[in-house]
Structure formats: structure tokens, C-alpha cells
Amino acid sequence: MNHDIQNVLLSEQRLAEMVTELGKQISEDYKDKNLLMVSVLKGSVVFMSDLMRAITIPCRIDFMSVSSYGSGVKTSGVVKIVKDLDIPLAGYDLLIVEDILDSGMTLSYIVELLEARGPASIKLCTLLDKPERRKVDIKADYVGCAVPDEFVVGYGLDYDEKYRNLPYVGILKPEVYSG
Ligand code: IMP
Ligand code: MG
């Protein structure tokens, strides 16, 4: 697996620091709220499991899974719900937890969908952000860090369902997906 990585972008230690910082901020911001963390499967599971343990206030978690039509390294913008949330959202302050904000199409679709269910509030937390790739007007409220416009894998992020279990975030060698 490591052979397919061009270079490590975020080490385990750097990721841990980012998560600790985000957890601190979120715990402070949500101390008087009714926090429900919504993890978007599957890419955000590793981040989610670390982030929830960095949060020091009571919170609930739930999961949803969407698939964008079209495989590979680009999203089509058309999204289908594969697994919906289990609980009604009224009264909850939602924090949507994502692995990476790229074109923004997936998240903007999810936000629109969940907003219609009338939660108390919705905010977005993404581990990684590729701001220059944005196609729709969406900004995350909490960002681990911005990354260059390269295809990254590890710490939950995949290429073709692989590399999610790498403990760091690395840039995938272009020959892996173009070859
Ligand atoms: P968006 O709808 O274009 O913002 O796409 C977001 C989704 O695309 C993420 O949740 C990832 O699953 C996937 N994605 C975008 N960029 C990358 C990347 O560099 N590595 C792995 N997955 C990515
Ligand atoms: Mg993916």
C-alpha cells in the first residue's frame, strides 16, 4: 500500500493535533447546545471516531451514507441516499462530519436534505478542504486543514475503496489512477 503513496501529507501526529484542536473548539461552541454528530460514510469514519473522543461535552452520533453516481476520482454531483439517519432531527444541533470538501456538491446536497427536516441548526466539519476545487458556494465551519489539488488517501479516504486504513493522509501516485 505504502508503495502507491507519493508522499505523506499529514502524519499521524499532525492528524492527532488537528483533531484535538477541533474537538476543543466544538466542545466550547456546543456546550449549551444539543449536539448530534452526523458522519457521512464511509470516508469520515476514522476522523469521526477520533473527533468524538476529542469532544468533552455530551453528544449523540448518527451515520448516513450517500453515493455519488460515477466512480473514480471525480464526483458527478448527483447523489443518492444509501443509508439514511435513524432519528428525527427536530431539536438537534447537527454537526455534519466529512472527510474532504472538494467540489462541495455532496455536502450541499446533504445540507439541503437535512435542513428540510427542521433541526435547530446545521454546521459542517471537514477534516480536509480543497477550496480551489469548489463548484458550489459552500464553506465548512470547522476545517482540519486545506490540502492542495491532488488526490489524497488514508485516514478513511479511499481510492476505489482502498487505502482507507492507512494511518496517515498521503498523496496517491497519479499512475495508480491514470494507469
Ligand atoms: P465533492 O462532492 O466533490 O465535495 O466530493 C466529496 C467526496 O469526494 C468526498 O467525501 C470523498 O469521498 C471524495 N473525494 C474528493 N476528493 C478526494 C480525494 O482527494 N481523495 C479521496 N476522496 C476524495
Ligand atoms: Mg470516496
Side-chain angles (χ1 to χ4, degrees):
M1 248 187 341
N2 293 301
H3 308 196
D4 296 338
I5 304 304
Q6 187 173 293
N7 61 282
V8 175
L9 205 58
L10 302 165
S11 66
E12 284 187 72
Q13 197 199 327
R14 177 83 182 85
L15 286 164
E17 287 164 9
M18 280 163 45
V19 168
T20 302
E21 189 48 46
L22 287 170
K24 221 184 262 174
Q25 253 185 66
I26 293 165
S27 303
E28 178 60 31
D29 296 352
Y30 282 82
K31 61 175 187 282
D32 301 316
K33 302 202 173 200
N34 193 14
L35 176 58
L36 172 63
M37 298 173 75
V38 172
S39 162
V40 183
L41 296 171
K42 306 170 199 167
S44 74
V45 286
V46 179
F47 176 41
M48 175 78 164
S49 72
D50 284 343
L51 182 62
M52 62 189 276
R53 285 175 291 174
I55 288 176
T56 53
I57 56 166
C59 78
R60 293 183 193 220
I61 62 166
D62 204 350
F63 297 87
M64 74 184 295
S65 179
V66 298
S67 77
S68 53
Y69 294 94
S71 62
V73 294
K74 286 215 177 88
T75 10
S76 64
V78 187
V79 175
K80 177 179 77 166
I81 297 187
V82 177
K83 185 225 170 288
D84 206 339
L85 298 174
D86 294 332
I87 53 172
L89 302 184
Y92 284 110
D93 293 290
L94 259 58
L95 184 63
I96 301 175
V97 179
E98 252 286 35
D99 54 353
I100 187 164
L101 189 50
D102 187 37
S103 73
M105 303 237 211
T106 311
L107 261 187
S108 72
Y109 175 85
I110 292 174
V111 168
E112 198 176 306
L113 184 97
L114 298 183
E115 239 159 24
R117 299 182 188 175
S121 68
I122 299 189
K123 281 189 178 183
L124 309 178
C125 176
T126 186
L127 176 71
L128 307 176
D129 191 8
K130 286 182 184 169
E132 73 267 39
R133 296 252 314 161
R134 209 73 88 246
K135 288 210 193 96
V136 294
D137 185 23
I138 187 166
K139 250 180 116 177
D141 302 279
Y142 303 94
V143 178
C145 79
V147 293
D149 184 11
E150 312 244 26
F151 201 78
V152 294
V153 294
Y155 198 69
L157 290 109
D158 73 306
Y159 169 65
D160 203 14
E161 297 299 326
K162 294 189 292 265
Y163 310 103
R164 293 194 197 276
N165 56 322
L166 287 174
Y168 55 83
V169 171
I171 296 175
L172 192 62
K173 287 181 181 164
E175 60 256 41
V176 176
Y177 53 84
S178 58

